[in-house]
Amino acid sequence: MFKKKLVSILAVSSVIMLSACGTGSAGDKAASGSANTASSPQGKIVIKYWTANGGKIEEAKQNLVKKFNESQNKIEVQQANQGNYDDLHAKVQAAFAAGNAPAVFDLEIASTGIFARSGMLVDLTPLAARDEAQVNIKDFNPGLMGNAYIDGKLYGIPFMRSTPIFYKNVTMLKDAGLDPAGPKNWKELEEYSRVLKAKGKTPMTMAVGVWEYEALVAQSGGKVLSEDGKKAAFNSPEGVAPVEFWKKMSDDGLIKFTVGKTAGADAEKDWTNQISAFKIGSTAGVSASLEVAKGNNFVMATDFMPANKSYGVPTGGCQLAITSKQNDAEKEATWEFVKFMTSKENTIYQHKYVGYLPNRLSALQSDELQNYYKEFPQYKVASDQLQYAVMRPNANAYAEVSKTIIDAMTKAILEKDVKPQDAMNEAAEKANKLLSK
């Protein structure tokens, strides 16, 4: 039975995970063949920690691991980057089947359901309850906890969490005579874009992504899947509205959509080179984007995603999950590491270093961050936007469903004769078959 479940998981490789954090990967290493934990010659318990994504994100994790290892002499964490979320998850699944999975890994939130239900993760509910005074689950922002629970049990602790936010080149907007405080909604986004186009600029460049689509569906008052996760809901009027909007903007030359394996990187190049004035990106990119703006001599601002009927945004990023098949000593050692990485002090550190959300309310409310936001307000937008956050679908088949959605949207947006409603209806039929398995 387990082998059948694992084969099913391995079949679910996902673009959903690529889009949900908004950054590329670096330093991809082959999966290690050692056990998830071991004893060092010094008697330490050695645990493997597998990570996703590169650049400043990986640097922050390396710095925190080093800090943990130097803080005590009983546990040694060995970190290995495994590429993007898709690569990491596939390697964890394969290693688990072979009996040498990492003790802990970065779990992209929309994949929590399939990992938890397959028996690959430790139920953290009793550990969090036992150590409530130290862990304080209620201190985590409620807008980030939806995907941490599966069937009422806690399987992940929020770590490097994100939302998509709206990035603006303030310099380009002012040069075009536009108020950089906007646009605040879809209508204003179209109006701003027409002015920018008339000035010879590309208003926005973006890849067709399911994470961004989830935001626009929420803004339209809809859902991607039914409440029980067993049926497609994205072919409703609220689910089709974003595709119709994007198609109109594409047809009018107001959004340039990139396609292919380098779609995200190509869109980022347009932003970096000041070809496009707007981008939708993860809050994980705030730090790097500020560096780009400074290096290219323009002013950058961040804002809520423009609203439709209301504001709305999915969360993303990862939580730390502990794999099962560990003995009690190994599990306790891994749990100590997870608590360290998700502490108030360290959530402040990774937030300032990268831009990921300050997951803990105590971190967000600290004098350190409140003073920091006065100098760098770009970092605060994502936390403010969480009041409009929705959780991502946790259905086992959502990775495959998301691929179906992206294919349908791409076809509808880029092919003149394809109607968005027809494309999403066809995709819904395919999705319902996947969800019924």
Side-chain angles (χ1 to χ4, degrees), residues 37-151:
T37 55
S39 294
S40 72
Q42 295 78 25
K44 294 181 180 180
I45 295 177
V46 178
I47 63 175
K48 293 194 301 184
Y49 169 38
W50 285 2
T51 62
N53 299 311
K56 292 183 71 68
I57 297 171
E58 184 69 7
E59 288 175 10
K61 293 171 188 174
Q62 290 171 346
N63 294 341
L64 288 172
V65 167
K66 183 174 184 291
K67 182 180 176 183
F68 175 77
N69 285 337
E70 293 175 348
S71 72
Q72 44 72 52
N73 58 10
K74 295 181 179 180
I75 306 164
E76 180 182 334
V77 177
Q78 296 178 350
Q79 179 181 3
N81 184 276
Q82 305 296 347
N84 57 46
Y85 285 127
D86 197 5
D87 299 330
L88 168 63
H89 290 187
K91 290 175 182 178
V92 170
Q93 292 154 5
F96 191 88
N100 58 13
V104 58
F105 68 103
D106 295 339
L107 174 62
E108 196 281 323
I109 62 167
S111 296
T112 310
I114 194 166
F115 272 86
R117 294 177 183 125
S118 70
M120 293 176 64
L121 303 182
V122 171
D123 174 10
L124 303 177
T125 311
L127 291 172
R130 184 195 70 190
D131 297 344
E132 175 57 26
Q134 183 181 7
V135 179
N136 192 6
I137 288 294
K138 293 180 180 178
D139 187 40
F140 288 96
N141 195 310
L144 298 176
M145 293 305 296
N147 289 89
Y149 290 92
I150 300 297
D151 303 326

Side-chain angles (χ1 to χ4, degrees), residues 79-364:
Q79 179 181 3
N81 184 276
Q82 305 296 347
N84 57 46
Y85 285 127
D86 197 5
D87 299 330
L88 168 63
H89 290 187
K91 290 175 182 178
V92 170
Q93 292 154 5
F96 191 88
N100 58 13
V104 58
F105 68 103
D106 295 339
L107 174 62
E108 196 281 323
I109 62 167
S111 296
T112 310
I114 194 166
F115 272 86
R117 294 177 183 125
S118 70
M120 293 176 64
L121 303 182
V122 171
D123 174 10
L124 303 177
T125 311
L127 291 172
R130 184 195 70 190
D131 297 344
E132 175 57 26
Q134 183 181 7
V135 179
N136 192 6
I137 288 294
K138 293 180 180 178
D139 187 40
F140 288 96
N141 195 310
L144 298 176
M145 293 305 296
N147 289 89
Y149 290 92
I150 300 297
D151 303 326
K153 297 179 180 180
L154 180 68
Y155 285 99
I157 304 297
F159 180 41
M160 290 194 170
R161 295 295 307 277
S162 59
T163 66
I165 56 177
F166 196 58
Y167 289 79
K168 301 182 287 190
N169 185 318
V170 171
T171 304
M172 286 178 66
L173 295 181
K174 287 185 175 179
D175 289 346
L178 294 165
D179 181 357
K184 297 299 185 185
N185 52 52
W186 292 11
K187 182 175 181 292
E188 289 183 5
L189 176 58
E190 181 177 348
E191 292 170 351
Y192 271 55
S193 297
R194 292 193 183 282
V195 173
L196 287 162
K197 183 186 177 185
K199 298 285 186 178
K201 299 294 184 180
T202 300
M204 182 159 66
T205 307
M206 63 180 290
V208 181
V210 72
W211 200 39
E212 297 83 354
Y213 170 70
E214 289 170 13
L216 270 68
V217 173
Q219 293 161 15
S220 302
K223 293 184 178 296
V224 177
L225 301 183
S226 60
E227 289 287 352
D228 60 9
K230 296 181 179 179
K231 188 175 181 181
F234 56 78
N235 61 330
S236 65
E238 295 82 6
V240 176
V243 189
E244 292 176 334
F245 177 65
W246 280 345
K247 185 178 182 71
K248 177 185 178 183
M249 295 288 279
S250 176
D251 287 348
D252 292 351
L254 305 178
I255 295 181
K256 173 185 172 184
F257 283 96
T258 53
V259 296
K261 292 183 178 180
T262 62
D266 292 341
E268 188 66 25
K269 285 179 184 177
D270 275 9
W271 162 263
T272 299
N273 295 325
Q274 300 192 70
I275 294 171
S276 55
F278 302 127
K279 73 170 178 175
I280 296 173
S282 169
T283 183
V286 170
S287 179
S289 294
L290 281 170
E291 291 177 3
V292 166
K294 183 177 180 181
N296 289 279
N297 198 32
F298 68 88
V299 177
M300 184 200 89
T302 60
D303 208 342
F304 287 12
M305 294 270 287
N308 186 16
K309 293 180 180 178
S310 66
Y311 289 110
V313 66
T315 61
C318 71
Q319 45 206 2
L320 291 179
I322 299 176
T323 58
S324 54
K325 294 187 178 180
Q326 299 184 56
N327 63 39
D328 288 344
E330 294 165 347
K331 183 170 70 174
E332 288 291 345
T334 308
W335 177 237
E336 285 302 312
F337 174 65
V338 169
K339 289 190 291 185
F340 173 87
M341 295 290 276
T342 58
S343 68
K344 173 185 173 181
E345 178 185 8
N346 289 328
T347 196
I348 291 174
Y349 170 79
Q350 58 89 8
H351 173 56
K352 291 170 67 175
Y353 197 92
V354 181
Y356 275 115
L357 288 159
N359 302 321
R360 289 186 176 274
L361 297 174
S362 57
L364 179 62

